[in-house]
Amino acid sequence: MAASKDKDKAKIGEAAWARMDKVNSELLSLTYGALVAQLLRDAPSPEEASAQLERMGYNIGVRLVEEFLARSGARAAGPCRDVAETAETVAKVAFKMFLGVSATVASASAEHREFSVAFDENPLAEFAELPEALAGGARLQYSNVLCGVIRGALEMLQLRVECRFVRDVLAGADTNEIRVVVKEFMADDKPPDAE
Amino acid sequence: MAASKDKDKAKIGEAAWARMDKVNSELLSLTYGALVAQLLRDAPSPEEASAQLERMGYNIGVRLVEEFLARSGARAAGPCRDVAETAETVAKVAFKMFLGVSATVASASAEHREFSVAFDENPLAEFAELPEALAGGARLQYSNVLCGVIRGALEMLQLRVECRFVRDVLAGADTNEIRVVVKEFMADDKPPDAE
């Protein structure tokens, strides 16, 4: 049952991906690299640049959620039933639709208030080479925009979350992993797809 | 003859596009928007922000040209014979490969030292809304990164050019047009595809 649901989400992701307008991923990777470099030049610290990337991602997520609802079929299907389904939808539908890569759900908590999105390929970091001082990965969260995108998009769907990179290939890990912690189920007094 | 060559370039562009790794174009559009907004905050003037976008584009073009040579089949086919073929290759192969859009060559000069690349759809500006003060388009060249990409890539192929937006849909024009002026055929003492 769970396996068949997984397969369904993967199928929905593939179908939505086929409908998306696309550009070359290296163009995104290099453009994103220019943005990170600019923030590093301006911000007082790598930590602050990371926080700015997260905030930029939040604004992007707030915009992308409309596209997600329109093209994934999620608007017609109705809201996710629980956090477990939300996790599957983020990993298998949203990651595929926007980044063209497959992600999986890992280490979901028994109470379903936390989950991880794990993915091997990260198109944002494809060309990234960090200078020695930043290579540890603890100070600069290079791809932090993704954490912001997830937070912004889920907040528009009445789910307040916090996200952070817990593993990053760029920092020497064997895969990428974003930890998502649900902080609040927000009051559903306006529908998620209100304009 | 010219028409059949055009069709060949369009075919090469389509085939190369099919081989490229892709992401959703809105993600690029919103990421690029964040970059432009950041530069506008930091730069002393919109003109300076435009110049910075062009320089960033130059660095991106220097990187993308390798991908272009590897995936377009251009390395095998050998260098373009003249500026007219270069123009067709930029418009029909490179634009398609990286942006997923078709462009055309317009207003080529009789002496083949100038040409325009015209394109209706600009994935970078898909979501852009300029504030009133910038909407005229004369001060901020929103998509100036594209001028830089063309300049950087062609310089790696021994052709020094200057590029500028002469029409921009974002500034109210009916199409986008980048004017490319050849300044110098550089000495070919190292091959264009030297590592």
Side-chain angles (χ1 to χ4, degrees):
Chain A
M1 173 76 178
S4 112
K5 209 177 91 180
D6 281 13
K7 213 172 149 189
D8 287 351
K9 291 285 182 199
K11 250 192 222 167
I12 292 168
E14 286 288 350
W17 171 240
R19 284 190 291 269
M20 302 302 276
D21 294 327
K22 300 178 188 78
V23 294
N24 170 238
S25 68
E26 302 195 30
L27 193 56
L28 174 69
S29 167
L30 293 171
T31 301
Y32 185 71
L35 173 62
V36 177
Q38 183 66 25
L39 290 178
L40 282 173
R41 265 191 295 274
D42 297 336
S45 69
E47 288 85 349
E48 178 52 31
S50 303
Q52 286 181 5
L53 286 168
E54 205 273 347
R55 288 195 295 272
M56 287 175 172
Y58 177 87
N59 292 327
I60 292 174
V62 164
R63 301 284 295 268
L64 282 185
V65 75
E66 265 307 306
E67 186 74 1
F68 169 79
L69 290 172
R71 301 222 193 186
S72 68
R75 203 192 305 262
C80 288
R81 285 181 305 276
D82 51 30
V83 172
E85 189 181 352
T86 301
E88 288 292 329
T89 305
V90 169
K92 301 224 166 62
V93 186
F95 263 66
K96 185 70 191 179
M97 276 177 75
F98 293 107
L99 291 170
V101 301
S102 298
T104 54
V105 176
S107 320
S109 72
E111 318 79 43
H112 294 309
R113 300 289 296 226
E114 291 191 32
F115 61 90
S116 284
V117 177
F119 51 106
D120 292 339
E121 281 179 83
N122 177 2
L124 288 180
E126 202 180 339
F127 280 90
E129 294 160 23
L130 295 186
E132 194 75 23
L134 297 169
R139 303 189 63 209
L140 176 69
Q141 294 293 342
Y142 185 87
S143 302
N144 224 16
V145 76
L146 294 179
C147 293
V149 170
I150 295 172
R151 182 169 69 87
L154 289 182
E155 197 163 302
M156 298 305 283
L157 301 171
Q158 312 299 324
L159 199 63
R160 200 167 64 76
V161 300
E162 283 176 9
C163 303
R164 65 183 201 286
F165 265 85
V166 290
R167 285 193 289 172
D168 189 338
V169 171
L170 209 54
D174 58 345
T175 190
N176 302 291
E177 181 181 341
I178 295 175
R179 190 73 180 157
V180 181
V181 180
V182 177
K183 305 307 275 187
E184 186 188 354
F185 299 92
M186 296 157 77
D188 200 12
D189 49 3
K190 62 176 189 327
D193 56 343
E195 299 298 323
Chain B
M1 172 76 178
S4 111
K5 208 176 93 182
D6 280 13
K7 212 170 147 190
D8 287 353
K9 290 287 181 199
K11 250 193 224 167
I12 292 168
E14 286 288 350
W17 172 239
R19 284 191 292 269
M20 302 302 275
D21 294 327
K22 299 178 189 77
V23 293
N24 170 236
S25 68
E26 303 197 29
L27 193 56
L28 174 69
S29 167
L30 293 171
T31 302
Y32 185 69
L35 173 62
V36 176
Q38 183 67 27
L39 290 177
L40 281 172
R41 265 191 294 274
D42 298 336
S45 69
E47 289 85 349
E48 178 52 31
S50 303
Q52 285 181 7
L53 286 168
E54 204 275 345
R55 289 196 293 274
M56 287 174 171
Y58 177 88
N59 292 327
I60 292 174
V62 163
R63 302 284 294 269
L64 283 185
V65 74
E66 266 307 306
E67 187 73 1
F68 169 80
L69 291 171
R71 300 223 193 184
S72 69
R75 202 191 307 259
C80 288
R81 287 181 304 276
D82 50 32
V83 172
E85 189 181 352
T86 301
E88 288 293 328
T89 305
V90 169
K92 301 225 165 60
V93 185
F95 263 67
K96 185 72 192 177
M97 277 177 74
F98 293 106
L99 291 172
V101 301
S102 298
T104 54
V105 176
S107 320
S109 72
E111 316 82 44
H112 293 309
R113 300 290 293 228
E114 291 190 33
F115 61 90
S116 285
V117 177
F119 50 107
D120 292 338
E121 280 178 83
N122 177 2
L124 288 181
E126 202 180 338
F127 280 89
E129 293 160 24
L130 295 186
E132 194 76 22
L134 297 169
R139 304 189 62 209
L140 176 69
Q141 295 292 340
Y142 185 88
S143 303
N144 225 17
V145 75
L146 294 179
C147 293
V149 170
I150 295 172
R151 181 168 70 88
L154 289 182
E155 196 163 302
M156 298 304 284
L157 301 171
Q158 312 299 324
L159 198 62
R160 199 166 64 76
V161 300
E162 284 175 9
C163 303
R164 67 182 200 287
F165 264 87
V166 290
R167 284 194 290 173
D168 189 339
V169 170
L170 208 54
D174 57 344
T175 190
N176 302 290
E177 181 180 342
I178 295 175
R179 191 72 181 160
V180 181
V181 180
V182 177
K183 305 307 277 187
E184 186 187 354
F185 299 92
M186 295 157 77
D188 199 12
D189 49 4
K190 62 175 187 333
D193 56 343
E195 299 299 321

